Amino acid sequence: MTVERLLPGQDARDLIELTREIADKELARRVDEHERAETYPEGLFATLGSAGLLGLPYPEEYGGGGQPYEVYLQVIEELAARWAAVAVAVSVHTLACYPLAAYGTPEQRARLLPDMLAGRLIGGYSLSEPQAGSDAAALTCRADRTEGGYRITGTKAWITHGGRADFYALFARTGPGPRGVSCFLAPGAAEGLTFGRPEEKMGLHAIPTTTAHWDGALIEADRLVGVEGQGLSIAFGALDSGRLGIAACATGLAQAALDEAVAYAKERETFGKKIIDHQGLGFLLADMAAGVDAARATYIDAARRRDAGLPYSRQASVAKLVATDTAMRVTTDAVQIFGGYGYTREFRVERYMREAKIMQIFEGTNQIQRLVISRHLAR
């Protein structure tokens, strides 16, 4: 089903139509092959970049699309409805561009941002460590000042596009305590940087997730973004936006599962009638549809607040929580509607269910989202 969207203008409607055309041609036709074989879609991100889909929420003066977040997130949702792994990688790339776009010097932006937003340079986000996931302040990767810049030593974990990205928004310790973390735009080909084997994941197989090992790699001083000690505030500011990206991915995934479940329920017959006409399944599909609509509404509300310059941290956590829990429930129900067939790899719904699980975990687990929301309520 094509989602009927309330968009702010004709330019946004044209962008959604372009996205659907590219997603149907380049993503929907390739997703099954690459997810089953666990192979990387070579050239796909260059295609998305050339279409202008990798820099949508950033300023046009640097080659971005100048789009409000409300529109950008709906583009992400359309991509996710065809290929969740690619949509997640696009969201992460957008997240990785944020520190430079928001905190970089004019010289840094002019030198690096155009290639990043055009997709000529693909980014990864490198905050988590093996012992520091939800507790970002516990990270230990070090950035030691040297005459030539900074020497990076330590291990980072759970990096989407790890080993494939051209740059990483890297967070490393330049001093003690929460105010001793700094942000760097680190090159992906730095000498002394190596990557572990891609994680063997439940889903999102086509895009690698890896650890990164920094063995005294030297990066130039002008790769520091902002000032020393500003890293965690940059990271947390980026994560609010990143959570909205994951909410949009989860909504697109849930929409895909709903669409396939409805199509199957209109074809499959039991006891002399289509299974959608059995009240038990019809009501289940209705609950799935209501959940998807509600998930979309929460992320769009948060995005509109962001676009208006209003505080939106609580709303971002609500959107991430609601959308990803909905995706888990809707994809599980889709498998149920398919019955035994849903448990086989013949149909996509089993993959959707596996992909939904990680969305409750990354960009802050849903337990962390509840903590964020409760702290806002306690103020």
Side-chain angles (χ1 to χ4, degrees):
M1 181 181 77
T2 299
V3 176
E4 295 183 4
R5 301 186 180 278
L6 293 175
L7 295 163
Q10 187 58 47
D11 286 348
R13 289 190 284 274
D14 291 342
L15 176 60
I16 292 295
E17 286 305 312
L18 172 65
T19 301
R20 288 171 174 165
E21 179 182 337
I22 293 172
D24 287 338
K25 180 180 178 181
E26 300 292 343
L27 276 65
R29 296 180 184 179
R30 300 171 65 181
V31 56
D32 293 329
E33 170 194 352
H34 286 285
E35 288 296 331
R36 285 172 177 164
E38 302 189 20
T39 51
Y40 186 76
E42 299 287 353
L44 178 57
F45 288 92
T47 299
L48 296 177
S50 65
L53 300 184
L54 296 184
L56 287 174
Y58 293 111
E60 292 179 283
E61 65 180 297
Y62 293 112
Q67 291 294 323
Y69 239 69
E70 172 189 358
V71 174
Y72 155 69
L73 291 176
Q74 293 186 75
V75 168
I76 291 291
E77 185 193 331
E78 292 286 348
L79 297 177
R82 279 76 165 183
W83 195 342
V86 168
V88 167
V90 173
S91 177
V92 169
H93 171 77
T94 305
L95 180 69
C97 293
Y98 173 85
L100 185 65
Y103 294 90
T105 65
E107 293 75 19
Q108 286 176 317
R109 293 174 187 169
R111 179 163 55 92
L112 297 168
L113 206 50
D115 284 340
M116 292 159 59
L117 301 185
R120 291 185 290 271
L121 297 175
I122 299 298
Y125 198 74
S126 190
L127 174 63
S128 295
E129 296 182 3
Q131 80 295 338
S134 297
D135 184 8
L139 63 83
T140 60
C141 182
R142 298 193 330 272
D144 297 316
R145 264 273 195 191
T146 68
E147 186 176 343
Y150 292 87
R151 195 168 295 281
I152 313 297
T153 306
T155 298
K156 309 297 285 188
W158 308 115
I159 305 171
T160 298
H161 249 140
R164 287 278 185 171
D166 301 295
F167 70 92
Y168 298 93
L170 171 70
F171 296 86
R173 187 164 292 286
T174 51
R179 297 185 180 181
V181 176
S182 300
C183 177
F184 301 87
L185 198 72
E191 186 176 351
L193 170 61
T194 58
F195 295 90
R197 287 182 55 193
E199 303 290 348
E200 297 180 0
K201 302 174 292 187
M202 285 175 63
L204 308 183
H205 290 149
I207 305 298
T209 301
T210 65
T211 56
H213 305 287
W214 294 85
D215 186 16
L218 183 65
I219 62 174
E220 298 173 351
D222 66 358
R223 289 282 180 162
L224 173 69
V225 179
V227 298
E228 285 192 9
Q230 198 175 13
L232 284 186
S233 63
I234 294 174
F236 294 150
L239 285 174
D240 280 339
S241 299
R243 285 165 180 162
L244 293 181
I246 296 306
C249 288
T251 304
L253 181 63
Q255 183 70 58
L258 172 63
D259 290 347
E260 302 226 5
V262 169
Y264 183 78
K266 287 179 178 179
E267 296 174 359
R268 176 75 168 172
E269 291 188 2
T270 61
F271 303 105
K273 60 182 179 181
K274 293 179 173 59
I275 64 173
I276 198 171
D277 294 324
H278 292 283
Q279 189 178 83
L281 278 177
F283 281 11
L284 179 59
L285 288 164
D287 286 341
M288 293 162 66
V292 174
D293 286 353
R296 182 175 298 115
T298 59
Y299 85 65
I300 289 177
D301 173 70
R304 287 172 176 167
R305 290 173 181 273
R306 185 188 191 280
D307 291 333
L310 298 173
Y312 71 100
S313 179
R314 181 173 73 87
Q315 288 78 13
S317 286
V318 169
K320 200 272 185 181
L321 172 65
V322 169
T324 59
D325 279 355
T326 295
M328 192 72 253
R329 183 176 66 255
V330 168
T331 56
T332 301
D333 288 344
V335 170
Q336 189 73 21
I337 287 169
F338 274 74
Y341 292 111
Y343 198 65
T344 71
R345 294 191 178 184
E346 181 180 355
F347 295 93
R348 290 176 173 175
V349 288
E350 65 84 26
R351 170 164 59 81
Y352 296 157
M353 182 178 173
R354 290 186 284 105
E355 290 173 336
K357 185 65 229 176
I358 188 58
M359 297 193 185
Q360 295 177 302
I361 298 172
F362 55 20
E363 303 289 13
T365 68
N366 282 6
Q367 288 69 34
I368 291 295
Q369 305 315 316
R370 289 176 170 89
L371 179 63
V372 171
I373 295 164
S374 67
R375 285 177 174 173
H376 276 275
L377 295 175
R379 291 178 180 175

